Amino acid sequence: MKNILNNHSSTSKKMSNINKKTADALNSIAGIVPAMPAPFLLTRLHAAMHRISENDATVWSKIALFLKRPAVAFTILLVLICVNIFVLNSNGFLSSKKNVVSKVNSNGYDIAINVTSIYDTENQEP
Amino acid sequence: MSLQTDTIPASAQQNNFANIVNSRQQMVYNTALSIVQNEADAEDITQEVFIKVYEKLAEFRGDAALDTWLYRIAVTTAFDFLKQQKAQKRGGFLKRVFGMATENDVPHFDHPGVALDKKEDARVLFMAISKLPDNQRAAFVLNRIEGLPNKEIATILDITLAAAESLQIRAKNNLRTVLKTYYEKHFK
């Protein structure tokens, strides 16, 4: 009997404690002080809006923005230089001076053998 | 506060916007923080709210009070953020469909504005608040943390005054139930 009474009193004590804790928790936000956001919100807002306006830009401005990136600009420049070198090389402009001279000479020889001199015109074979 | 921004030049509109941000940032941030219970997320939501405000400032005719309008945007943006966050969680959709979603009953959020001696109780209360349905949570936060009367809460949530009062009562009853269950489990 005594045990039952003890159990009952401990249960009721626990319940009253729980009720008290619940009430304390519900009242814990009474007089709460408003929290402040991190400083410079307006500056961050302007930056965020700038980013959004960049994202909302037209196709041409997006292309321009893409090309403006240093990595892209340097890559395009390198590709252009490589293409130029390839074209010049394939046209022979970059071959050595000696070859150029010999080519010129050979051309000169070709021309020379076709020249008709006075001797040739006077001594024509029948 | 009445704003007729469609007739205001751009520079004046910029000043107007800057004034709104400076005077209302605390209000918006605090509302978002109480709903999402995470400082970084609340910062993001505050930014998003003011970007929406900037975009819609020209459309705002002053039919509602500026504060009410801001609260409405803040509450909607915060709940949209929470929905998006839930949807993005790995397997969240499947868990919800098959009822496997585990309720998080670990108090984790410390509101920076709560007094030091009440921190622990407030942490448990915020855990309980996070379990409330959206409309009850909004009504409770606006009333108990922002200190708004039920009439203004009704305007913000676009419901009747009676519905706002009913939300408050149901929110408190649900909180009491969640808190009792928590303390029965954890209080010795």
Side-chain angles (χ1 to χ4, degrees), chain B residues 88-99:
Chain B
Q88 278 175 355
K89 276 183 185 169
R90 194 184 290 263
F93 175 73
L94 288 175
K95 278 180 184 171
R96 276 201 306 280
V97 166
F98 294 106

Side-chain angles (χ1 to χ4, degrees), chain B residues 61-128:
Chain B
R61 300 267 175 192
D63 297 335
L66 180 67
D67 285 355
T68 308
W69 185 55
L70 277 172
Y71 271 125
R72 191 178 295 169
I73 298 175
V75 168
T76 315
T77 311
F79 282 117
D80 284 348
F81 178 86
L82 285 179
K83 274 179 205 159
Q84 212 177 341
Q85 205 178 37
K86 271 184 195 170
Q88 278 175 355
K89 276 183 185 169
R90 194 184 290 263
F93 175 73
L94 288 175
K95 278 180 184 171
R96 276 201 306 280
V97 166
F98 294 106
M100 288 152 53
T102 51
E103 291 292 321
N104 179 21
D105 63 348
V106 181
H108 63 281
F109 173 61
D110 266 328
H111 193 289
V114 175
L116 205 62
D117 57 327
K118 294 176 179 171
K119 285 262 182 210
E120 202 181 323
D121 290 334
R123 211 179 292 153
V124 180
L125 178 66
F126 275 107
M127 178 274 296

Side-chain angles (χ1 to χ4, degrees), chain A residues 53-73:
Chain A
S53 67
E54 274 186 357
N55 289 340
D56 289 346
T58 59
V59 178
W60 291 111
S61 55
K62 275 182 185 171
I63 292 170
L65 274 173
F66 177 72
L67 294 177
K68 232 165 63 173
R69 288 180 190 171
V72 178

Side-chain angles (χ1 to χ4, degrees), chain A residues 10-22, chain B residues 187:
Chain A
S10 71
T11 312
S12 65
K13 196 180 172 188
K14 194 184 174 188
M15 277 309 291
S16 103
N17 279 340
I18 286 170
N19 285 340
K20 192 186 171 294
K21 283 296 285 180
T22 305
Chain B
F187 188 70

Side-chain angles (χ1 to χ4, degrees), chain A residues 71-90:
Chain A
V72 178
F74 275 116
T75 312
I76 291 172
L77 195 68
L78 272 175
V79 169
L80 280 174
I81 290 169
C82 288
V83 168
N84 275 314
I85 290 169
F86 176 75
V87 170
L88 288 174
N89 194 36
S90 63

Side-chain angles (χ1 to χ4, degrees), chain A residues 19 25-26 28 33 35 37-38 44, chain B residues 25 30 43 113 122 125 144 180:
Chain A
N19 285 340
L26 281 169
S28 63
V33 179
R44 279 180 287 133
Chain B
Q25 54 175 293
N30 217 35
E43 288 270 350
L125 178 66
R144 294 294 302 273
K180 272 188 181 171

